[in-house]
Amino acid sequence: MNDRPLTGRMHPDRTPLSLREYEQAGGYQAVRQAVGRIAPVEVMNLVKESNLRGRGGAGFPTGVKWSFVPRGAQARRPVYLIANADEMEPGAFKDRRLLEGDPHQIIEGVILASYAIEADIAYIFLRGEYTLAARRVRQAVAEAYQAGWLGKNICGSGWGLELHLHTGAGRYMCGEETGLINSLEGRRATPRNKPPFPQLSGLFGRPTVVQNVETLCNLPHLVTHGAAWFKELSRCKDGGTKIYGVSGKVKRPGAWELPMGTPIREILEDRAGGMRDGVHLRAILPGGASTEFVTVDQINMQMDFDTCQAAGTRLGTGMMIVLDDQTCPVGMMLNLERFFAQESCGWCTPCREGLPWIVQSLAAIEAGRGEPADLDILEMHTRLLGPGLTYCALAPGAMEPLHSGLKIFRDDFERHLREGRCPWS
Amino acid sequence: MLNAEEKQLIEQAVRHYEHPRAACLEALKIVQERRGWVSDDDVRDVADALAMSPAEVDSLATFYSLIFRRPVGRHVILVCDSVSCWIMGYERIVQHISERLGVGLGETTPDGEFTLLPVVCLGACDRAPAMMIDGDLHGDLTEEVIDQLLVTYRGKKME
């Protein structure tokens, strides 16, 4: 179990651990150990030392993120901690697994993070479609209150935490840090300008930390077993395990908790069983819809933040989507860009205007009505919608598969233009 | 008009936040759960309950995809149209449902039984293609599975 701390104690039949089962398996020990016994700043230092990096996709060091939150008399109260459970990146289903399978684990993670930043109120922002997770988390929150893990004076420390489940009503933008904050305030999920960063002025203008579910689930184990243990779990310099997943035409699609830095080949072949009979691997989106494609010759690449970045892509969610040779790459890119165009909140001009253009061009090419100049226009958009020109990462993220796809699938695009139809249809 | 139960639930939700407007989506969901959709009158009532303007409430109701501003059928089918489901046969699946129901995406069957809508990635990519009916997830969809589900849900109104 110890090499799979997040998922090792889950039931194989996917029923959730009850409070009693969770406590018997060592649950809430980290709260007992830390709250009122170790100074909040020491919990933060432990997380810094462990090299835990955010599992939502950006990979920002968690302890460093917390260090910007003002402490003590400086802080405007209440201070907020928000668990980002708005899992909506196409290809991702890891947070669902964590929320449904072990709802007390995320609650314990929320308590520890809140303690470390001296927060008063926490929310779990859960996407509206995760109805089963909502039922299970709601029940677990009630149990945790009853057992004294939430509420006033936790473990006799004098410190208390209020935790509420907040369920969303759709829109990918709610997963974006500042879009989430706006949505939680009862506004449209549009992004905010930074600075000020949420750690100084976030929810209702108060100090706020937003943290992904998987990141928070690491905390109980990290506090119990220490930073050195945590670092040893991985196969790279970032600490811990990672929940990797595979979807597409593979034999056994699924998600597995493995050492951070596990190579694509091991995940794809040993866990997912390789490609289904009759189809061959063409390319992979390693970390969800908003990452650059990698090709067959890159499958020995280790799946960690730095290696992925050095290879020109991103670890993202670590949930890979596999493209096979029987599926049209142009059609796949059209599907991806349609998603981003639809989910754009309309706040920034490049994103609002550019993404529909891209969809139109890709749709024309896919339907056999494309012109050679369309490829140049698409390429131009990858720069016009790139980093630094919009308030959030939706448009730059949308450009990642387009940017690499235009290069990798150049021949396929040209065939569409030449033949005046989709060769796969 | 909001009834006593709806008012009470909305008041309860408001207590979870520093500002009442933060409970706006929850209030819209409370109304929608009981009435199927959110009418112009409902928008005004929710606005009154939260000290917001109807325009502010409507700006949220029209932004968030799970709030319905038009009547929907007794059962709402949300078919995932994101990339993993697309690779695994979304187009075939949605065509089959359309043929069975006689309606396209965004439409409601004339008998008021089903509304068919697309939805972004449901986080069920390991069970693609996938869809939700009335908040319940169904994966590994085939034509046979869909036919079975439609019969089951159609029967549910008889209960």
Side-chain angles (χ1 to χ4, degrees), chain A residues 30-47:
Chain A
V31 170
R32 213 189 282 272
Q33 262 172 267
V35 175
R37 290 170 185 248
I38 308 174
V41 70
E42 289 306 315
V43 177
M44 181 181 81
N45 288 338
L46 175 72
V47 172

Side-chain angles (χ1 to χ4, degrees), chain A residues 165 220 281 335 375:
Chain A
L165 176 66
L281 176 64
N335 177 280
L375 297 183

Side-chain angles (χ1 to χ4, degrees), chain A residues 312-325:
Chain A
T313 184
R314 290 189 307 116
L315 175 65
T317 59
M319 304 293 287
M320 46 182 109
I321 304 155
V322 174
L323 171 67
D324 58 276
D325 62 345

Side-chain angles (χ1 to χ4, degrees), chain A residues 36 68 82 85 88-89 94 97 102 113 121 138 151 153 159 204 236 252 272 317 379 398 400 415:
Chain A
F68 301 114
I82 305 171
M88 225 181 280
E89 180 73 15
K94 65 185 182 68
R97 200 61 64 81
D102 201 354
I121 301 174
R138 192 169 288 125
N153 194 22
W159 172 77
F204 306 118
C236 60
R252 290 189 303 270
T317 59
E379 205 280 324
E400 294 189 26
R415 249 187 98 189

